[in-house]
Amino acid sequence: MTIRYLVFGFAITLCNLANAQQAAIRNNYKDEKGLPRLKIEREMIYTPGNSWLYNHHAAIIEFKGKLIATWSNGLVDEDSPGQRVVFSVSSDFEHWSAPGIIAEPEKASNGMQKVLTAAGLYKYNGKLVAYYGEYEKDRTHTHLWAKTSTDGEHWSSPIDMHIPLIPNHGPEAIKNGRLIISGNFSFPYTDDPTGISGWKMTSFYLDSLYQQDNSAAFYKPAEKLGLPPLCEGSFFQTDDNIIHMLLRVTGKGWKGRLWLTESRDNGSSWSRPVKTTFTDNDSKFHFGRLPDKRYYYVGIPDTLHHYDRNPLVLAISADGSYFNKQYIIADELYQLKTKGLYKGGQYGYPHTIIWKDYMYVIISRQKEAIEVIRFKLDQLKGL
């Protein structure tokens, strides 16, 4: 299908961009009153003392019988020069190692340190890959890097991924084995199962509308096409092979709803995004699939307290369309110790994995501390 848009008085043509077919993807969240609460276990992985006060963008994975967590670790403020990427290891969920360093920023040509952002974890054939994005203070020269490890503690030299991206989530495999990275508006893919080569950029935007994908780059292309600021996607694939990428809307465009773009060709192209009725607090979220083949969402669906990022909710769908079974994971408050630029939000940027009989959810607390929660999946049986 060919679609034409009028941009600054000129007609441009976008190919293969039909509207998403399942804008009906929705939930039924109103508030947390009356929702069942999951029985959880929780541990603080990291709470800062007097330094490295900003902690966010966490991800978790199981690797060789241990849990590995990674996150962005900044001096004071969000995504500021000097921000690095760290990790922590646990063999029992309860005890976590002191943060080790995956990557530290180099200096730009102006002498100022660059900014690094944790970008998820992936494992294949006994090797763990940690991804991290890099850009300069003015959000230019965006670049994706990776390091590998065979033990989850010692890391290789940086490997260039050759794409201008700060990912939202690390690579996830679809049915045919292809890996897809969830970015803001670009969703790179590779058919290399190791996840360290062959990445190709793809987006619902024309190549001519962007040069990089980072936390500042998603405003201009959206404005040109009359879309709200779309960012921080997370996807799931249904049994008909359609990939459903849900998107956060932020800034002045926030109206309390997620948007949706879809791919019917294994992530090679994406439909023009459309608004759904799936509620959202203006935060990151994570979709996945349970062992019983139901689909799940973990995020903040509340719209009454914009940007509070509370409560943390699990929503389940039998068909990938209607997420109508909802549970409170957590809503306890964390008291911010030290203020910083953009620091806030009780349950920030969840990422999930399923390992053995548990779902694990890692989050930042007010962008200051890193916490992990787990709960047994048998609580969801028959529900």
Side-chain angles (χ1 to χ4, degrees), residues 72-292:
S72 302
N73 184 224
L75 294 167
V76 177
D77 297 321
E78 177 170 295
D79 298 346
S80 295
Q83 185 170 294
R84 62 188 183 178
V85 176
V86 299
F87 74 100
S88 181
V89 181
S90 176
S91 58
D92 62 3
F93 178 77
E94 295 182 7
H95 304 91
W96 290 84
S97 65
I101 299 171
I102 292 178
E104 294 187 280
E106 297 180 348
K107 290 185 178 180
S109 58
N110 62 5
M112 184 173 291
Q113 283 187 305
K114 296 180 181 180
V115 182
L116 302 186
T117 301
L121 299 161
Y122 170 73
K123 63 180 181 179
Y124 178 78
N125 197 24
K127 185 173 287 187
L128 180 64
V129 187
Y131 298 85
Y132 58 96
E134 172 194 74
Y135 52 47
E136 297 181 15
K137 181 183 178 181
D138 59 357
R139 306 301 192 260
T140 59
H141 301 100
T142 302
H143 210 79
L144 182 64
W145 298 90
K147 288 188 177 184
T148 63
S149 175
T150 57
D151 63 3
E153 298 187 44
H154 301 88
W155 301 91
S156 71
S157 299
I159 305 170
D160 192 345
M161 299 293 99
H162 299 288
I163 48 177
L165 174 74
I166 306 292
N168 183 44
H169 290 298
E172 297 180 42
I174 59 174
K175 287 184 180 181
N176 70 354
R178 172 171 286 180
L179 301 179
I180 296 177
I181 289 175
S182 301
N184 292 296
F185 55 79
S186 66
F187 316 115
Y189 68 87
T190 183
D191 293 313
D192 171 16
T194 69
I196 58 175
S197 69
W199 288 103
K200 298 178 181 179
M201 292 289 284
T202 184
S203 174
F204 48 79
Y205 292 137
L206 281 176
D207 293 348
S208 60
L209 294 179
Y210 69 96
Q211 294 182 325
Q212 57 184 358
D213 184 355
N214 63 38
S215 57
F218 53 79
Y219 293 98
K220 288 185 178 180
E223 183 179 359
K224 288 179 180 179
L225 293 189
L227 296 171
L230 300 171
C231 61
E232 295 179 340
S234 179
F235 74 87
F236 61 93
Q237 185 179 29
T238 43
D239 291 336
D240 56 8
N241 294 323
I242 298 175
I243 303 170
H244 312 274
M245 182 78 70
L246 280 298
L247 301 163
R248 172 188 173 187
V249 179
T250 193
K252 295 180 180 179
W254 180 80
K255 302 297 182 184
R257 299 294 183 270
L258 299 180
W259 281 54
L260 171 69
T261 179
E262 294 179 334
S263 177
R264 295 169 178 264
D265 55 10
N266 296 313
S268 296
S269 64
W270 296 87
S271 64
R272 178 179 169 87
V274 295
K275 183 180 178 180
T276 75
T277 58
F278 202 116
T279 62
D280 173 64
N281 190 252
D282 196 352
S283 183
K284 181 174 173 176
F285 47 88
H286 198 213
F287 282 91
R289 203 159 187 186
L290 296 170
D292 64 11

